[in-house]
Amino acid sequence: MSTRRKFLKDAALASGAVGTAALGAAHIYAQEPKKITWRLQTYAGPALAAHVIKPSIDAFNKVAKGEMEIQLYTADQLVPTGELFRAMQRGTIDAVQSDDDSIAAPVDVSVFGGYFPFASRYSLDIPVLFEQYGLRKIWEEAYGEVKGVTWLGAGAWDPCNFATVQPIRSLEDFKGKRIFTFPTAGKFLTRFGVIPVTLPWEDVEVAVQTGELDGIAWCGITEYTTVGWANVTKYFLTNNISGAWIGSYFANSERWAEVPEHLKELFKLCMDNSHYYRQYWYWGGEAQIRVEGKKLELTTIPEAEWKTVEDEAKKFWEEIAKTSPRCQRVVDIFKKYNALMAEAGPPYRY
């Protein structure tokens, strides 16, 4: 009986010690979760990033409460924009905000990122095309074929207008103009004599001042004013070649997989918040600065002459459609959507 009592006592003490140790270990683990840190680079320079992404990233970091921190870097700060996709694949950076075109994404649909000529008329066209007309599924399909990078979603930015040193009042005035623009937009504009120029974002202002550039076709008047390019150009062409830039968010696939589901949802909500902010910031700014702005003189190419550019865009669409069956599907969606908008009439199309 004495031996039995001693055995039970020793067993109780041992189990209590093990339980205490286990509880202590659990307590230590709960107090020291591994913090996730991302480096995200945007296409935008500091003045522009303050609007197109920084508020949403600040909100994410605040709500994440130390579980995750996103460190934001601006255009070319860590990696040249044209190398962003490969850098993200390698894990040099964790995430990117840009258009597919500028970062040389190795997918056939990258040609539609940025400014695909006349694919949209207004910024609201972009979310409708992605969420109601099937572009989201096509983009997910395309990036599903690429290892190492996950496409997270797209949104709309501003229209693509010209800001130039000399006025553009006819198609003839485009000839020989050295213009900073996006790859696909530049390819299209060569049909009218434009010479596309690629430069680091931060070098654009000086390049206009030194005469290396004759102008810019990179944004609308809100951005020209915000980033300072309206200070070195004189004229703003009201005709645009696209109603809205298509930009996306991307992440290194391994790093995205490490993020807990609740933080993934938080990041997506912050993406949507950024998309919403831009809708009213650009829409209001484009109108207000045209009317009240003092830095740029407005010029316009007559509608009958500008139709030449719109007609040429249709030929450009057909050429791109032939490059892959998936590109054909995208072009078919653009055709269907724009035909429906035209038939709907004002305010959808005039």
Side-chain angles (χ1 to χ4, degrees), residues 6-81:
K6 185 175 184 302
F7 172 79
L8 292 171
K9 180 180 179 181
D10 291 345
L13 289 171
S15 64
V18 171
T20 302
L23 286 170
H27 176 73
I28 293 170
Y29 181 79
Q31 293 297 311
E32 299 178 4
K34 183 180 179 182
K35 179 181 177 180
I36 299 171
T37 302
W38 270 14
R39 299 199 300 176
L40 186 158
Q41 184 169 310
T42 176
Y43 73 98
L48 181 57
H51 290 279
V52 300
I53 190 170
K54 189 176 184 299
S56 65
I57 297 301
D58 288 345
F60 178 91
N61 289 335
K62 181 179 180 180
V63 180
K65 294 184 177 180
E67 291 185 63
M68 181 171 174
E69 178 187 4
I70 299 177
Q71 299 170 352
L72 179 63
Y73 295 86
T74 54
D76 305 306
Q77 195 171 358
L78 294 178
V79 180
T81 297

Side-chain angles (χ1 to χ4, degrees), residues 262-321:
H262 69 287
L263 291 178
K264 286 181 178 177
E265 290 302 315
L266 175 60
F267 187 75
K268 291 175 182 178
L269 287 170
C270 288
M271 284 169 46
D272 288 341
N273 177 264
S274 180
H275 295 331
Y276 170 69
Y277 177 95
R278 291 192 312 274
Q279 284 285 351
Y280 66 79
W281 184 61
Y282 282 126
W283 184 256
E286 296 300 301
Q288 182 181 7
I289 299 172
R290 282 192 186 199
V291 174
E292 299 177 356
K294 306 298 182 184
K295 294 182 177 181
L296 296 173
E297 179 182 333
L298 306 185
T299 64
T300 301
I301 295 175
E303 185 176 343
E305 187 177 2
W306 188 247
K307 190 176 183 301
T308 302
V309 183
E310 296 179 351
D311 290 343
E312 193 64 30
K314 295 176 183 176
K315 299 176 185 177
F316 185 74
W317 285 18
E318 295 303 327
E319 293 171 14
I320 297 300

Side-chain angles (χ1 to χ4, degrees), residues 144-216:
E145 298 170 2
V146 178
K147 292 183 179 181
V149 170
T150 299
W151 176 82
L152 300 177
W157 271 251
D158 52 341
C160 183
N161 296 81
F162 287 77
T164 54
V165 177
Q166 300 296 326
I168 303 292
R169 294 191 172 96
S170 71
L171 296 184
E172 186 68 24
D173 293 331
F174 279 133
K175 293 182 179 179
K177 294 293 189 296
R178 293 160 296 181
I179 301 293
F180 173 70
T181 189
F182 293 88
T184 297
K187 182 179 179 181
F188 173 68
L189 290 170
T190 58
R191 299 176 180 226
F192 306 98
V194 168
I195 302 170
V197 178
T198 301
L199 289 171
W201 195 91
E202 289 291 342
D203 294 344
V204 172
E205 185 171 340
V206 173
V208 175
Q209 291 174 304
T210 60
E212 184 180 353
L213 288 175
D214 299 304
I216 308 163

Side-chain angles (χ1 to χ4, degrees), residues 79-240:
V79 180
T81 297
E83 299 173 18
L84 276 175
F85 195 92
R86 299 302 183 189
M88 187 168 37
Q89 275 187 315
R90 294 192 301 267
T92 305
I93 55 175
D94 305 298
V96 166
Q97 180 205 44
S98 182
D99 68 286
D100 324 56
D101 198 22
S102 296
I103 64 175
V107 293
D108 47 7
V109 297
S110 66
V111 69
F112 303 109
Y115 290 120
F116 191 69
F118 298 100
S120 65
R121 182 68 61 91
Y122 308 116
S123 58
L124 274 176
D125 291 336
I126 303 305
V128 173
L129 283 162
F130 273 85
E131 306 305 332
Q132 295 185 355
Y133 279 74
L135 292 194
R136 170 176 286 277
K137 290 183 179 179
I138 292 176
W139 258 246
E140 289 173 343
E141 173 192 293
Y143 283 97
E145 298 170 2
V146 178
K147 292 183 179 181
V149 170
T150 299
W151 176 82
L152 300 177
W157 271 251
D158 52 341
C160 183
N161 296 81
F162 287 77
T164 54
V165 177
Q166 300 296 326
I168 303 292
R169 294 191 172 96
S170 71
L171 296 184
E172 186 68 24
D173 293 331
F174 279 133
K175 293 182 179 179
K177 294 293 189 296
R178 293 160 296 181
I179 301 293
F180 173 70
T181 189
F182 293 88
T184 297
K187 182 179 179 181
F188 173 68
L189 290 170
T190 58
R191 299 176 180 226
F192 306 98
V194 168
I195 302 170
V197 178
T198 301
L199 289 171
W201 195 91
E202 289 291 342
D203 294 344
V204 172
E205 185 171 340
V206 173
V208 175
Q209 291 174 304
T210 60
E212 184 180 353
L213 288 175
D214 299 304
I216 308 163
W218 207 79
C219 55
I221 201 166
T222 305
E223 281 192 21
Y224 285 129
T225 303
T226 301
V227 306
W229 292 343
N231 298 331
V232 296
T233 53
K234 297 180 180 179
Y235 300 93
F236 177 84
L237 181 64
T238 60
N239 311 79
N240 64 59

